[in-house]
Amino acid sequence: MESRPHHPKLSQKTAVETMQRLEGIVASAMDGIITIDDEQRVILFNPAAERMFGLPANEALGQHISRFMPERHRPAHAAHIHRFTETGVTNRQMGSLGAISGLRADGKEFPIEASISQVEIGGERLATVILRDITERKAAEDALLESRRRMEGIVESAMDALITVDEGQQIVLFNPAAERMFGIAAKDAIGSPIERFIPERFRHGHAAHIRLFKETGVTNRRMGALGAISGLRANGEEFPVEASISQVRIGDGKLATVILRDITERKANEDSRQLLAREVDHRAKNALAVVQALVSLTRAETKEAFIVAVRGRVSALSRAHSLLAQNRWEGGDLAAVLTEETRAYQSVNQLMIGGPSVTLTPNAVQPVSLLIHELATNAVKYGALSVTEGRVDVSWRILPSLELELRWTETGGPAVQKPETRGFGSTLVTEVATRQLAGELDISWPPTGMRLIATLPRSVYRPDISTGSVSGEEVAPKSLEAGSAGRILVVEDETLIAMELCNELESRGWEIIGPAATTDEAMRLVGGSQLPDVAVLDVNLGGNPVYPFAEWLQTHGVPFLFCTGYEQLDDHHSFKNRTTIRKPVNMTLLEGELRRIRQLT
Protein backbone atom coordinates (compact mmCIF):
# COMPACT_ATOMS: atom_id res chain seq x y z
CA MET A 1 0.00 0.00 0.00
CA GLU A 2 1.36 3.38 -0.96
CA SER A 3 1.44 5.89 1.95
CA ARG A 4 0.65 9.57 1.53
CA PRO A 5 3.62 11.92 1.77
CA HIS A 6 3.95 14.02 5.00
CA HIS A 7 4.21 17.80 4.51
CA PRO A 8 5.65 19.43 7.64
CA LYS A 9 5.07 22.96 6.36
CA LEU A 10 1.34 22.25 5.82
CA SER A 11 0.90 20.84 9.32
CA GLN A 12 2.70 23.83 10.82
CA LYS A 13 0.51 26.21 8.85
CA THR A 14 -2.63 24.46 10.04
CA ALA A 15 -1.50 24.61 13.63
CA VAL A 16 -0.77 28.33 13.31
CA GLU A 17 -4.22 28.95 11.81
CA THR A 18 -5.86 26.96 14.53
CA MET A 19 -3.97 28.93 17.15
CA GLN A 20 -4.99 32.17 15.51
CA ARG A 21 -8.59 31.08 15.50
CA LEU A 22 -8.47 30.20 19.16
CA GLU A 23 -6.82 33.49 20.02
CA GLY A 24 -9.51 35.29 18.01
CA ILE A 25 -12.27 33.44 19.86
CA VAL A 26 -10.72 34.24 23.21
CA ALA A 27 -10.15 37.87 22.29
CA SER A 28 -13.68 38.38 20.94
CA ALA A 29 -15.50 36.48 23.67
CA MET A 30 -18.14 38.48 25.59
CA ASP A 31 -17.28 36.63 28.79
CA GLY A 32 -14.11 37.23 30.74
CA ILE A 33 -11.56 34.41 30.31
CA ILE A 34 -8.69 34.05 32.78
CA THR A 35 -6.19 31.19 32.71
CA ILE A 36 -3.92 30.50 35.70
CA ASP A 37 -0.99 28.18 36.32
CA ASP A 38 -0.33 25.79 39.17
CA GLU A 39 0.54 28.73 41.40
CA GLN A 40 -2.81 30.44 40.52
CA ARG A 41 -1.04 33.21 38.68
CA VAL A 42 -2.67 34.76 35.65
CA ILE A 43 -1.17 33.69 32.28
CA LEU A 44 -4.15 34.74 30.10
CA PHE A 45 -6.42 37.75 30.56
CA ASN A 46 -8.72 38.40 27.59
CA PRO A 47 -10.18 41.81 26.57
CA ALA A 48 -13.56 41.00 28.17
CA ALA A 49 -11.71 40.40 31.45
CA GLU A 50 -9.91 43.73 31.01
CA ARG A 51 -13.26 45.53 30.65
CA MET A 52 -14.81 43.56 33.46
CA PHE A 53 -12.09 44.28 36.03
CA GLY A 54 -10.93 47.65 34.68
CA LEU A 55 -7.33 46.47 34.32
CA PRO A 56 -5.20 45.98 31.17
CA ALA A 57 -3.88 42.50 30.50
CA ASN A 58 -0.19 43.50 30.85
CA GLU A 59 -0.89 44.53 34.48
CA ALA A 60 -2.98 41.46 35.21
CA LEU A 61 -0.57 38.85 33.84
CA GLY A 62 1.54 37.29 36.59
CA GLN A 63 -0.84 38.53 39.31
CA HIS A 64 -2.35 36.02 41.73
CA ILE A 65 -5.97 35.27 40.86
CA SER A 66 -7.02 36.26 44.40
CA ARG A 67 -6.38 39.86 43.43
CA PHE A 68 -9.69 39.82 41.53
CA MET A 69 -11.90 38.79 44.44
CA PRO A 70 -12.86 40.47 47.74
CA GLU A 71 -10.48 39.64 50.54
CA ARG A 72 -13.13 37.96 52.70
CA HIS A 73 -13.76 35.39 49.97
CA ARG A 74 -10.11 34.53 49.22
CA PRO A 75 -9.70 31.60 51.68
CA ALA A 76 -12.83 29.90 50.41
CA HIS A 77 -11.81 30.54 46.79
CA ALA A 78 -8.37 29.04 47.35
CA ALA A 79 -10.02 25.94 48.78
CA HIS A 80 -12.28 25.69 45.73
CA ILE A 81 -9.37 25.96 43.32
CA HIS A 82 -7.21 23.51 45.25
CA ARG A 83 -9.99 20.94 45.34
CA PHE A 84 -10.69 21.41 41.66
CA THR A 85 -7.09 21.05 40.51
CA GLU A 86 -6.85 17.78 42.43
CA THR A 87 -10.24 16.22 41.72
CA GLY A 88 -11.87 18.26 38.95
CA VAL A 89 -14.79 18.99 41.30
CA THR A 90 -15.64 22.17 43.21
CA ASN A 91 -17.59 22.41 46.44
CA ARG A 92 -20.66 23.28 44.36
CA GLN A 93 -20.71 21.08 41.28
CA MET A 94 -18.27 19.90 38.65
CA GLY A 95 -16.77 22.85 36.81
CA SER A 96 -19.16 25.40 38.31
CA LEU A 97 -18.35 28.08 40.84
CA GLY A 98 -21.85 29.59 40.53
CA ALA A 99 -22.57 33.20 41.46
CA ILE A 100 -19.63 34.76 43.30
CA SER A 101 -18.25 38.24 43.87
CA GLY A 102 -15.52 39.92 41.83
CA LEU A 103 -13.33 42.91 42.69
CA ARG A 104 -12.62 45.62 40.11
CA ALA A 105 -9.33 47.49 39.99
CA ASP A 106 -11.04 50.50 41.65
CA GLY A 107 -12.05 48.33 44.62
CA LYS A 108 -15.73 48.01 43.70
CA GLU A 109 -17.34 44.64 44.21
CA PHE A 110 -19.72 43.19 41.63
CA PRO A 111 -21.54 39.89 41.11
CA ILE A 112 -20.21 37.40 38.59
CA GLU A 113 -21.14 33.93 37.47
CA ALA A 114 -18.14 31.63 36.99
CA SER A 115 -17.21 28.21 35.67
CA ILE A 116 -13.80 26.56 35.72
CA SER A 117 -12.01 23.92 33.61
CA GLN A 118 -8.46 22.57 33.54
CA VAL A 119 -6.03 21.05 31.07
CA GLU A 120 -2.54 19.57 31.36
CA ILE A 121 -0.01 20.82 28.81
CA GLY A 122 3.54 19.51 28.86
CA GLY A 123 3.26 18.33 32.41
CA GLU A 124 1.87 21.66 33.58
CA ARG A 125 -1.73 21.84 34.83
CA LEU A 126 -3.58 25.00 33.76
CA ALA A 127 -7.02 26.16 34.95
CA THR A 128 -9.29 28.46 32.97
CA VAL A 129 -12.08 30.47 34.59
CA ILE A 130 -14.89 31.85 32.42
CA LEU A 131 -16.59 34.84 34.06
CA ARG A 132 -19.82 36.65 33.30
CA ASP A 133 -20.73 40.01 34.84
CA ILE A 134 -24.31 39.56 36.16
CA THR A 135 -24.65 43.00 37.74
CA GLU A 136 -27.73 43.92 35.70
CA ARG A 137 -29.29 40.49 36.06
CA LYS A 138 -28.62 40.48 39.79
CA ALA A 139 -30.15 43.97 40.09
CA ALA A 140 -33.21 42.79 38.21
CA GLU A 141 -33.44 39.67 40.37
CA ASP A 142 -33.02 41.74 43.53
CA ALA A 143 -35.69 44.15 42.34
CA LEU A 144 -38.00 41.25 41.58
CA LEU A 145 -37.27 39.69 44.95
CA GLU A 146 -37.86 43.01 46.71
CA SER A 147 -41.10 43.48 44.79
CA ARG A 148 -42.16 39.99 45.77
CA ARG A 149 -41.29 40.64 49.41
CA ARG A 150 -43.26 43.86 49.36
CA MET A 151 -46.22 42.12 47.78
CA GLU A 152 -46.00 39.32 50.32
CA GLY A 153 -45.78 41.93 53.08
CA ILE A 154 -48.87 43.69 51.76
CA VAL A 155 -50.77 40.41 51.51
CA GLU A 156 -49.60 39.30 54.94
CA SER A 157 -50.42 42.60 56.67
CA ALA A 158 -53.69 43.35 54.81
CA MET A 159 -56.68 43.90 57.10
CA ASP A 160 -58.98 42.40 54.47
CA ALA A 161 -59.00 38.69 53.70
CA LEU A 162 -57.32 37.80 50.40
CA ILE A 163 -58.09 34.43 48.83
CA THR A 164 -56.68 33.42 45.43
CA VAL A 165 -58.07 30.44 43.54
CA ASP A 166 -57.02 28.66 40.36
CA GLU A 167 -59.28 27.81 37.45
CA GLY A 168 -60.57 24.78 39.33
CA GLN A 169 -61.69 27.06 42.21
CA GLN A 170 -59.02 25.52 44.46
CA ILE A 171 -57.41 27.89 46.97
CA VAL A 172 -53.75 28.71 46.27
CA LEU A 173 -53.38 31.73 48.61
CA PHE A 174 -54.99 32.34 52.01
CA ASN A 175 -53.60 35.34 53.90
CA PRO A 176 -53.51 35.80 57.72
CA ALA A 177 -56.61 38.04 57.64
CA ALA A 178 -58.48 35.20 55.94
CA GLU A 179 -57.23 32.84 58.65
CA ARG A 180 -58.62 35.13 61.34
CA MET A 181 -61.86 35.75 59.46
CA PHE A 182 -62.72 32.11 58.80
CA GLY A 183 -61.00 30.59 61.84
CA ILE A 184 -58.78 28.20 59.93
CA ALA A 185 -55.02 27.99 59.23
CA ALA A 186 -53.78 28.65 55.70
CA LYS A 187 -52.21 25.18 55.46
CA ASP A 188 -55.64 23.63 56.05
CA ALA A 189 -57.38 25.95 53.57
CA ILE A 190 -54.94 25.81 50.63
CA GLY A 191 -55.93 23.16 48.13
CA SER A 192 -59.56 23.07 49.23
CA PRO A 193 -62.45 24.53 47.17
CA ILE A 194 -63.42 28.10 48.00
CA GLU A 195 -67.08 27.11 48.28
CA ARG A 196 -66.33 25.54 51.68
CA PHE A 197 -66.41 29.12 53.00
CA ILE A 198 -69.84 29.88 51.48
CA PRO A 199 -73.14 28.78 53.08
CA GLU A 200 -74.53 25.81 51.18
CA ARG A 201 -77.71 27.57 50.07
CA PHE A 202 -75.62 30.25 48.28
CA ARG A 203 -73.10 27.99 46.55
CA HIS A 204 -75.03 27.61 43.32
CA GLY A 205 -75.42 31.37 42.94
CA HIS A 206 -71.74 31.87 43.79
CA ALA A 207 -70.69 29.42 41.09
CA ALA A 208 -72.80 31.36 38.58
CA HIS A 209 -71.09 34.63 39.60
CA ILE A 210 -67.65 33.12 39.15
CA ARG A 211 -68.44 31.60 35.73
CA LEU A 212 -69.81 34.92 34.50
CA PHE A 213 -66.79 36.81 35.84
CA LYS A 214 -64.29 34.39 34.23
CA GLU A 215 -65.96 34.84 30.87
CA THR A 216 -66.72 38.55 30.91
CA GLY A 217 -64.93 40.17 33.87
CA VAL A 218 -68.35 41.25 35.15
CA THR A 219 -70.44 39.73 37.96
CA ASN A 220 -74.24 39.75 38.18
CA ARG A 221 -73.89 42.95 40.17
CA ARG A 222 -71.16 44.99 38.51
CA MET A 223 -67.57 44.75 37.34
CA GLY A 224 -65.40 43.13 39.97
CA ALA A 225 -67.99 43.49 42.73
CA LEU A 226 -69.81 40.72 44.52
CA GLY A 227 -71.26 43.17 47.06
CA ALA A 228 -72.57 42.06 50.45
CA ILE A 229 -72.68 38.26 50.67
CA SER A 230 -72.55 35.66 53.42
CA GLY A 231 -69.43 33.84 54.59
CA LEU A 232 -69.14 30.59 56.55
CA ARG A 233 -66.59 30.25 59.33
CA ALA A 234 -64.88 26.96 60.07
CA ASN A 235 -67.14 26.52 63.14
CA GLY A 236 -70.27 26.76 60.95
CA GLU A 237 -71.15 30.35 61.88
CA GLU A 238 -72.51 32.51 59.07
CA PHE A 239 -71.50 36.17 58.90
CA PRO A 240 -71.91 39.06 56.42
CA VAL A 241 -68.97 39.99 54.19
CA GLU A 242 -68.40 42.55 51.46
CA ALA A 243 -66.50 41.09 48.52
CA SER A 244 -64.80 42.10 45.29
CA ILE A 245 -63.06 39.87 42.76
CA SER A 246 -60.29 40.32 40.18
CA GLN A 247 -58.46 37.96 37.87
CA VAL A 248 -55.11 37.76 36.12
CA ARG A 249 -53.77 35.49 33.39
CA ILE A 250 -50.52 33.70 34.19
CA GLY A 251 -49.24 31.58 31.35
CA ASP A 252 -52.11 29.57 29.95
CA GLY A 253 -54.19 29.78 33.10
CA LYS A 254 -56.11 32.34 35.14
CA LEU A 255 -56.02 33.12 38.83
CA ALA A 256 -58.90 34.89 40.58
CA THR A 257 -58.45 36.82 43.82
CA VAL A 258 -61.35 37.60 46.12
CA ILE A 259 -60.98 40.45 48.65
CA LEU A 260 -63.31 40.03 51.62
CA ARG A 261 -64.21 42.39 54.46
CA ASP A 262 -66.13 41.27 57.54
CA ILE A 263 -69.03 43.72 57.88
CA THR A 264 -70.65 42.12 60.92
CA GLU A 265 -70.23 45.26 63.03
CA ARG A 266 -71.24 47.60 60.18
CA LYS A 267 -74.34 45.48 59.46
CA ALA A 268 -75.26 45.56 63.15
CA ASN A 269 -74.85 49.36 63.17
CA GLU A 270 -76.97 49.70 60.03
CA ASP A 271 -79.66 47.48 61.53
CA SER A 272 -79.54 49.54 64.72
CA ARG A 273 -79.92 52.77 62.76
CA GLN A 274 -82.85 51.35 60.83
CA LEU A 275 -84.43 50.14 64.04
CA LEU A 276 -83.87 53.53 65.66
CA ALA A 277 -85.39 55.35 62.69
CA ARG A 278 -88.34 52.96 62.78
CA GLU A 279 -88.79 53.46 66.51
CA VAL A 280 -88.54 57.25 66.22
CA ASP A 281 -91.18 57.15 63.50
CA HIS A 282 -93.35 54.94 65.70
CA ARG A 283 -92.92 57.15 68.77
CA ALA A 284 -93.66 60.32 66.81
CA LYS A 285 -96.87 58.90 65.38
CA ASN A 286 -97.82 57.46 68.75
CA ALA A 287 -97.28 60.88 70.34
CA LEU A 288 -99.53 62.50 67.76
CA ALA A 289 -102.14 59.83 68.42
CA VAL A 290 -101.94 60.53 72.16
CA VAL A 291 -102.37 64.27 71.54
CA GLN A 292 -105.32 63.54 69.28
CA ALA A 293 -106.86 61.39 72.02
CA LEU A 294 -106.29 64.12 74.62
CA VAL A 295 -108.08 66.66 72.48
CA SER A 296 -110.89 64.24 71.73
CA LEU A 297 -111.43 63.14 75.34
CA THR A 298 -110.97 66.42 77.20
CA ARG A 299 -114.21 68.02 78.34
CA ALA A 300 -114.70 71.55 79.77
CA GLU A 301 -117.53 73.99 80.36
CA THR A 302 -115.90 76.78 78.35
CA LYS A 303 -113.58 77.05 75.40
CA GLU A 304 -110.99 78.76 77.58
CA ALA A 305 -111.08 75.93 80.14
CA PHE A 306 -110.79 73.40 77.34
CA ILE A 307 -107.71 75.17 75.93
CA VAL A 308 -106.07 75.30 79.36
CA ALA A 309 -106.73 71.60 79.99
CA VAL A 310 -105.43 70.48 76.60
CA ARG A 311 -102.43 72.78 76.73
CA GLY A 312 -101.45 71.48 80.19
CA ARG A 313 -101.67 67.83 79.15
CA VAL A 314 -99.78 68.38 75.89
CA SER A 315 -97.10 70.26 77.83
CA ALA A 316 -96.77 67.29 80.19
CA LEU A 317 -96.25 65.02 77.18
CA SER A 318 -93.69 67.45 75.77
CA ARG A 319 -91.71 67.52 79.01
CA ALA A 320 -91.70 63.74 79.16
CA HIS A 321 -90.41 63.51 75.60
CA SER A 322 -87.72 66.11 76.27
CA LEU A 323 -86.53 64.13 79.27
CA LEU A 324 -86.45 60.93 77.23
CA ALA A 325 -84.52 62.63 74.44
CA GLN A 326 -81.94 63.97 76.90
CA ASN A 327 -81.41 60.41 78.14
CA ARG A 328 -81.17 58.92 74.61
CA TRP A 329 -84.59 57.28 75.06
CA GLU A 330 -83.16 55.02 77.77
CA GLY A 331 -85.56 56.21 80.46
CA GLY A 332 -85.79 59.06 82.94
CA ASP A 333 -85.09 59.80 86.58
CA LEU A 334 -88.27 59.72 88.66
CA ALA A 335 -87.22 62.75 90.70
CA ALA A 336 -86.62 64.69 87.48
CA VAL A 337 -90.06 63.74 86.16
CA LEU A 338 -91.71 64.90 89.39
CA THR A 339 -89.64 68.09 89.50
CA GLU A 340 -90.56 69.03 85.92
CA GLU A 341 -94.27 68.45 86.45
CA THR A 342 -94.42 70.40 89.76
CA ARG A 343 -91.79 73.08 89.13
CA ALA A 344 -94.32 75.94 89.34
CA TYR A 345 -95.20 75.14 93.00
CA GLN A 346 -91.75 74.51 94.45
CA SER A 347 -90.77 78.18 94.69
CA VAL A 348 -93.42 78.78 97.38
CA ASN A 349 -92.40 75.67 99.33
CA GLN A 350 -95.82 74.11 99.00
CA LEU A 351 -94.53 70.87 97.52
CA MET A 352 -91.87 68.54 98.92
CA ILE A 353 -90.30 65.72 96.89
CA GLY A 354 -88.15 62.93 98.30
CA GLY A 355 -87.16 59.33 97.66
CA PRO A 356 -84.33 57.02 96.53
CA SER A 357 -82.74 57.19 93.10
CA VAL A 358 -85.07 55.45 90.64
CA THR A 359 -84.78 55.44 86.85
CA LEU A 360 -88.06 54.88 85.03
CA THR A 361 -88.10 52.77 81.88
CA PRO A 362 -88.80 54.59 78.57
CA ASN A 363 -92.38 53.27 78.44
CA ALA A 364 -93.11 54.53 81.96
CA VAL A 365 -91.87 58.13 81.68
CA GLN A 366 -94.85 59.49 79.74
CA PRO A 367 -97.66 57.87 81.79
CA VAL A 368 -96.01 58.84 85.09
CA SER A 369 -95.69 62.42 83.80
CA LEU A 370 -99.40 62.47 82.92
CA LEU A 371 -100.29 60.95 86.29
CA ILE A 372 -98.38 63.64 88.23
CA HIS A 373 -99.71 66.39 85.94
CA GLU A 374 -103.32 65.38 86.60
CA LEU A 375 -102.72 65.17 90.36
CA ALA A 376 -101.05 68.60 90.40
CA THR A 377 -103.78 70.15 88.26
CA ASN A 378 -106.48 68.76 90.56
CA ALA A 379 -104.57 70.02 93.63
CA VAL A 380 -104.39 73.51 92.13
CA LYS A 381 -108.10 73.57 91.28
CA TYR A 382 -109.65 71.85 94.27
CA GLY A 383 -106.99 70.61 96.68
CA ALA A 384 -104.06 71.67 98.82
CA LEU A 385 -102.39 73.83 96.17
CA SER A 386 -105.53 75.97 95.82
CA VAL A 387 -104.64 77.86 99.04
CA THR A 388 -101.37 79.31 100.26
CA GLU A 389 -101.45 77.25 103.48
CA GLY A 390 -101.72 73.95 101.59
CA ARG A 391 -98.91 71.46 101.23
CA VAL A 392 -98.24 68.41 99.07
CA ASP A 393 -95.73 65.70 99.95
CA VAL A 394 -94.59 63.35 97.18
CA SER A 395 -92.46 60.37 98.16
CA TRP A 396 -91.56 56.97 96.82
CA ARG A 397 -89.76 53.81 97.87
CA ILE A 398 -88.87 50.33 96.63
CA LEU A 399 -90.88 47.73 98.56
CA PRO A 400 -89.42 44.34 99.65
CA SER A 401 -91.44 42.86 96.77
CA LEU A 402 -89.37 45.20 94.49
CA GLU A 403 -92.52 47.08 93.52
CA LEU A 404 -92.33 50.87 93.34
CA GLU A 405 -94.63 52.66 95.78
CA LEU A 406 -95.48 56.27 94.90
CA ARG A 407 -97.32 58.41 97.49
CA TRP A 408 -99.12 61.74 96.94
CA THR A 409 -100.33 63.31 100.20
CA GLU A 410 -102.18 66.64 100.47
CA THR A 411 -102.62 68.59 103.73
CA GLY A 412 -103.68 72.10 104.78
CA GLY A 413 -106.12 72.61 101.95
CA PRO A 414 -109.91 72.90 101.88
CA ALA A 415 -111.87 70.13 103.52
CA VAL A 416 -112.48 67.38 100.97
CA GLN A 417 -114.85 64.50 100.50
CA LYS A 418 -114.97 61.63 98.07
CA PRO A 419 -116.49 62.81 94.75
CA GLU A 420 -119.75 61.25 93.67
CA THR A 421 -118.87 61.23 89.95
CA ARG A 422 -115.69 60.64 87.96
CA GLY A 423 -114.55 63.10 85.35
CA PHE A 424 -111.98 62.59 82.65
CA GLY A 425 -109.09 63.62 84.89
CA SER A 426 -109.90 61.07 87.61
CA THR A 427 -110.51 58.40 84.99
CA LEU A 428 -107.17 59.19 83.40
CA VAL A 429 -105.35 58.86 86.76
CA THR A 430 -106.95 55.49 87.41
CA GLU A 431 -106.42 54.12 83.91
CA VAL A 432 -102.80 55.23 83.69
CA ALA A 433 -101.89 53.74 87.05
CA THR A 434 -103.81 50.47 86.84
CA ARG A 435 -103.92 49.66 83.15
CA GLN A 436 -101.04 51.31 81.35
CA LEU A 437 -98.59 50.93 84.25
CA ALA A 438 -100.23 47.66 85.42
CA GLY A 439 -100.22 48.83 89.04
CA GLU A 440 -102.63 49.14 91.93
CA LEU A 441 -104.21 52.40 93.09
CA ASP A 442 -105.48 53.37 96.52
CA ILE A 443 -107.16 56.79 96.81
CA SER A 444 -108.59 57.96 100.11
CA TRP A 445 -110.36 61.22 101.02
CA PRO A 446 -109.72 62.16 104.70
CA PRO A 447 -110.91 65.68 105.61
CA THR A 448 -107.27 66.88 105.82
CA GLY A 449 -106.71 66.25 102.13
CA MET A 450 -106.67 63.66 99.35
CA ARG A 451 -104.14 60.82 99.62
CA LEU A 452 -103.03 58.56 96.76
CA ILE A 453 -100.82 55.46 96.91
CA ALA A 454 -99.82 53.91 93.56
CA THR A 455 -98.07 50.54 93.78
CA LEU A 456 -96.34 49.92 90.46
CA PRO A 457 -94.64 46.72 89.23
CA ARG A 458 -90.84 46.50 88.99
CA SER A 459 -91.17 46.66 85.18
CA VAL A 460 -91.67 50.45 85.41
CA TYR A 461 -88.11 51.08 86.58
CA ARG A 462 -84.64 49.80 85.75
CA PRO A 463 -83.30 47.56 88.54
CA ASP A 464 -79.74 47.79 87.19
CA ILE A 465 -79.70 51.56 87.87
CA SER A 466 -82.24 52.13 90.67
CA THR A 467 -81.40 50.61 93.97
CA GLY A 468 -110.07 62.89 94.02
CA SER A 469 -112.59 65.00 92.90
CA VAL A 470 -110.22 65.80 90.12
CA SER A 471 -111.16 68.04 87.29
CA GLY A 472 -114.92 67.44 87.36
CA GLU A 473 -114.87 66.78 83.59
CA GLU A 474 -117.27 64.34 82.01
CA VAL A 475 -116.49 61.73 79.33
CA ALA A 476 -118.38 61.67 76.07
CA PRO A 477 -121.93 60.31 76.24
CA LYS A 478 -122.36 56.67 75.26
CA SER A 479 -124.19 55.57 72.16
CA LEU A 480 -127.77 54.52 72.68
CA GLU A 481 -127.17 51.63 70.30
CA ALA A 482 -124.17 50.08 72.07
CA GLY A 483 -123.45 46.59 70.75
CA SER A 484 -125.46 46.92 67.58
CA ALA A 485 -122.32 46.85 65.40
CA GLY A 486 -120.86 43.76 67.09
CA ARG A 487 -118.37 42.77 69.76
CA ILE A 488 -114.87 44.21 69.36
CA LEU A 489 -111.71 43.47 71.30
CA VAL A 490 -109.41 46.49 71.75
CA VAL A 491 -105.74 45.73 72.50
CA GLU A 492 -103.79 48.96 73.12
CA ASP A 493 -101.26 49.73 75.87
CA GLU A 494 -101.37 53.53 75.60
CA THR A 495 -104.08 54.58 78.04
CA LEU A 496 -105.28 57.71 76.29
CA ILE A 497 -105.37 56.06 72.87
CA ALA A 498 -107.24 53.07 74.32
CA MET A 499 -109.75 55.33 76.02
CA GLU A 500 -110.38 57.27 72.82
CA LEU A 501 -110.74 54.10 70.73
CA CYS A 502 -113.21 52.60 73.19
CA ASN A 503 -115.24 55.80 73.48
CA GLU A 504 -115.42 56.35 69.73
CA LEU A 505 -116.18 52.73 68.85
CA GLU A 506 -118.81 52.45 71.59
CA SER A 507 -120.46 55.65 70.37
CA ARG A 508 -120.64 54.04 66.92
CA GLY A 509 -122.51 50.99 68.19
CA TRP A 510 -119.73 48.54 69.11
CA GLU A 511 -119.70 46.45 72.30
CA ILE A 512 -116.21 46.86 73.75
CA ILE A 513 -114.17 43.97 75.15
CA GLY A 514 -111.25 45.41 77.06
CA PRO A 515 -109.24 47.37 76.49
CA ALA A 516 -106.27 45.02 77.07
CA ALA A 517 -102.77 46.39 77.54
CA THR A 518 -100.92 43.06 77.17
CA THR A 519 -101.36 39.82 75.23
CA ASP A 520 -101.89 37.95 78.51
CA GLU A 521 -104.70 40.31 79.45
CA ALA A 522 -106.20 39.91 75.98
CA MET A 523 -106.12 36.12 76.32
CA ARG A 524 -107.88 36.32 79.68
CA LEU A 525 -110.60 38.48 78.14
CA VAL A 526 -111.39 36.13 75.26
CA GLY A 527 -110.03 32.75 76.33
CA GLY A 528 -112.94 31.68 78.50
CA SER A 529 -115.84 33.48 76.87
CA GLN A 530 -117.48 34.06 73.55
CA LEU A 531 -114.98 35.14 70.92
CA PRO A 532 -115.20 38.74 69.65
CA ASP A 533 -116.53 39.47 66.19
CA VAL A 534 -113.43 41.49 65.33
CA ALA A 535 -110.33 42.89 67.01
CA VAL A 536 -108.13 45.97 66.71
CA LEU A 537 -104.52 45.36 67.79
CA ASP A 538 -101.65 47.69 68.62
CA VAL A 539 -98.39 46.13 67.38
CA ASN A 540 -96.03 47.13 70.20
CA LEU A 541 -97.33 46.46 73.71
CA GLY A 542 -94.80 47.88 76.13
CA GLY A 543 -91.94 46.55 74.03
CA ASN A 544 -93.55 43.16 73.34
CA PRO A 545 -95.02 42.29 69.92
CA VAL A 546 -98.72 41.44 69.63
CA TYR A 547 -98.02 38.83 66.91
CA PRO A 548 -98.40 35.67 69.06
CA PHE A 549 -101.90 36.77 70.06
CA ALA A 550 -102.64 37.76 66.45
CA GLU A 551 -101.69 34.22 65.38
CA TRP A 552 -104.05 32.84 68.04
CA LEU A 553 -106.89 34.98 66.71
CA GLN A 554 -106.08 33.86 63.18
CA THR A 555 -106.24 30.17 64.10
CA HIS A 556 -109.62 30.75 65.81
CA GLY A 557 -111.08 32.58 62.83
CA VAL A 558 -111.35 36.02 64.45
CA PRO A 559 -110.76 38.82 61.92
CA PHE A 560 -108.49 41.62 63.09
CA LEU A 561 -106.50 44.62 61.92
CA PHE A 562 -103.47 46.44 63.26
CA CYS A 563 -103.54 50.01 64.57
CA THR A 564 -99.95 51.22 64.89
CA GLY A 565 -97.46 54.02 64.45
CA TYR A 566 -95.13 51.73 62.49
CA GLU A 567 -95.04 52.47 58.77
CA GLN A 568 -94.31 48.85 57.81
CA LEU A 569 -94.57 45.53 59.64
CA ASP A 570 -91.08 44.41 58.61
CA ASP A 571 -90.58 42.35 61.75
CA HIS A 572 -93.31 39.83 60.83
CA HIS A 573 -93.52 39.07 57.12
CA SER A 574 -96.62 36.85 57.38
CA PHE A 575 -98.66 39.88 58.49
CA LYS A 576 -97.16 42.44 56.10
CA ASN A 577 -100.31 42.40 53.93
CA ARG A 578 -102.71 42.53 56.86
CA THR A 579 -104.97 45.60 57.05
CA THR A 580 -103.14 48.30 59.01
CA ILE A 581 -104.46 51.64 60.23
CA ARG A 582 -101.78 54.25 60.97
CA LYS A 583 -101.76 56.42 64.05
CA PRO A 584 -103.05 59.08 64.64
CA VAL A 585 -106.30 57.23 63.91
CA ASN A 586 -108.93 58.35 61.44
CA MET A 587 -111.97 56.84 63.19
CA THR A 588 -114.13 56.80 60.08
CA LEU A 589 -111.47 54.88 58.20
CA LEU A 590 -110.93 52.54 61.15
CA GLU A 591 -114.58 51.67 61.54
CA GLY A 592 -115.02 51.21 57.81
CA GLU A 593 -112.15 48.70 57.72
CA LEU A 594 -113.49 46.91 60.81
CA ARG A 595 -116.91 46.44 59.21
CA ARG A 596 -115.28 45.33 55.93
CA ILE A 597 -113.05 42.64 57.42
CA ARG A 598 -115.94 41.41 59.58
CA GLN A 599 -118.13 40.94 56.52
CA LEU A 600 -115.39 38.92 54.78
CA THR A 601 -115.59 36.16 57.40
Side-chain angles (χ1 to χ4, degrees), residues 178-200:
E179 292 181 311
R180 294 189 296 271
M181 182 179 292
F182 291 97
I184 186 173
K187 62 182 179 61
D188 297 323
I190 291 175
S192 60
I194 193 172
E195 68 176 15
R196 73 177 287 186
F197 300 112
I198 301 169
E200 188 170 356

Side-chain angles (χ1 to χ4, degrees), residues 197-232:
F197 300 112
I198 301 169
E200 188 170 356
R201 67 184 184 280
F202 296 131
R203 289 174 185 173
H204 177 74
H206 168 78
H209 282 313
I210 298 301
R211 282 196 302 271
L212 179 64
F213 183 72
K214 284 174 62 178
E215 295 172 0
T216 65
V218 179
T219 69
N220 284 352
R221 295 179 172 92
R222 61 183 186 275
M223 186 173 294
L226 294 173
I229 59 177
S230 291
L232 183 67

Side-chain angles (χ1 to χ4, degrees), residues 73 112 120 239 306 328 377 381 392 419 422 503 528 553:
H73 296 317
I112 55 178
E120 190 171 333
F239 65 105
F306 175 83
R328 300 176 179 271
T377 300
K381 288 183 178 180
V392 174
R422 294 178 62 191
N503 284 348
L553 290 177

Side-chain angles (χ1 to χ4, degrees), residues 68-73 100-112 133 135:
F68 301 105
M69 65 190 64
E71 186 172 355
R72 66 184 182 281
H73 296 317
I100 59 176
S101 293
L103 184 66
R104 302 190 200 277
D106 60 5
K108 182 178 181 182
E109 292 187 22
F110 66 104
I112 55 178
D133 187 339
T135 300

Side-chain angles (χ1 to χ4, degrees), residues 283 287 290 312-333 336-341 360-373 436 494:
R283 287 182 183 276
V290 170
R313 287 163 181 157
V314 171
S315 295
L317 293 177
S318 175
R319 287 189 291 270
H321 275 260
S322 296
L323 184 62
L324 281 170
Q326 292 169 9
N327 293 307
R328 300 176 179 271
W329 295 93
E330 295 179 356
D333 181 70
V337 172
L338 294 169
T339 300
E340 284 298 314
E341 293 304 323
L360 299 175
T361 60
N363 289 334
V365 171
Q366 179 179 295
V368 169
S369 295
L370 278 175
L371 176 66
I372 299 302
H373 171 77
Q436 187 166 4
E494 192 69 55

Side-chain angles (χ1 to χ4, degrees), residues 39 205 298 424 504:
E39 296 179 355
T298 298
F424 172 63
E504 288 291 337

